[in-house]
Amino acid sequence: MTQPTIPANSSDASSPQDDAWNHLLALEAQVQTTQTSLTLHTTELARLCQTTNTISHSLQMLLKHLPPTPVITPTPPIPPETNPAPRFNVSAAPHTKIPCPALPDTYDGDWAGNVCFLQSCITYIQLSDEEFFPLDPAKTAALSLCNPN
């Protein structure tokens, strides 16, 4: 596209015709810039389209090499049994001996650790059977005074 030229005018004052020519030249420059931009974007779009087609073709080739997906038929739900079998062996004989719980740590005399020590003693007594730690009234009274709760 050829660019129009301004006709030579002998006067220095700008006329409405000169303003129109200047405006026309500015529009022509904008059209050329827009055409260049459009060409660049069209080229980029063509490149992206080609890349998309290449990727699509590659994926189709990969799909041809994959084994077919097996069809999984849904299995009907298993009805719950009326008398389910036990999952572990339960012996009929009751346990007669209960193991003794671990003894509390020895009190080191630190005043800050007394609550922890008393709590471990109380836990030991609660877990112990009478045969391991028989409670008499004196022990019960002493423990009631030391209860950290």
Side-chain angles (χ1 to χ4, degrees):
M1 184 175 202
T2 60
Q3 190 171 16
T5 58
I6 302 174
N9 193 351
S10 60
S11 68
D12 289 335
S14 98
S15 67
Q17 186 179 12
D18 290 339
D19 289 341
W21 276 108
N22 287 334
H23 189 64
L24 181 63
L25 288 174
L27 287 175
E28 180 67 25
Q30 286 180 351
V31 166
Q32 286 179 353
T33 303
T34 304
Q35 284 178 338
T36 303
S37 176
L38 181 61
T39 302
L40 290 174
H41 285 97
T42 303
T43 304
E44 180 68 14
L45 184 61
R47 188 185 64 77
L48 289 173
C49 185
Q50 182 181 8
T51 302
T52 303
N53 288 338
T54 304
I55 291 172
S56 176
H57 179 69
S58 297
L59 288 174
Q60 287 174 359
M61 294 303 292
L62 284 173
L63 285 174
K64 287 180 182 178
H65 294 290
L66 288 176
T69 306
V71 177
I72 300 173
T73 57
T75 57
I78 300 171
E81 296 180 30
T82 54
N83 293 324
R87 294 186 181 166
F88 50 88
N89 277 338
V90 178
S91 66
H95 296 286
T96 56
K97 181 133 171 110
I98 297 174
C100 180
L103 289 171
D105 292 334
T106 306
Y107 182 60
D108 60 0
D110 182 19
W111 184 255
N114 66 351
V115 174
C116 182
F117 175 73
L118 286 176
Q119 189 62 48
S120 65
C121 289
I122 290 170
T123 303
Y124 173 78
I125 293 168
Q126 289 172 346
L127 291 176
S128 296
D129 196 9
E130 279 285 324
E131 111 186 33
F132 294 118
F133 191 84
L135 287 177
D136 57 24
K139 290 178 183 175
T140 306
L143 287 173
S144 67
L145 293 175
C146 296
N147 191 355
N149 295 334

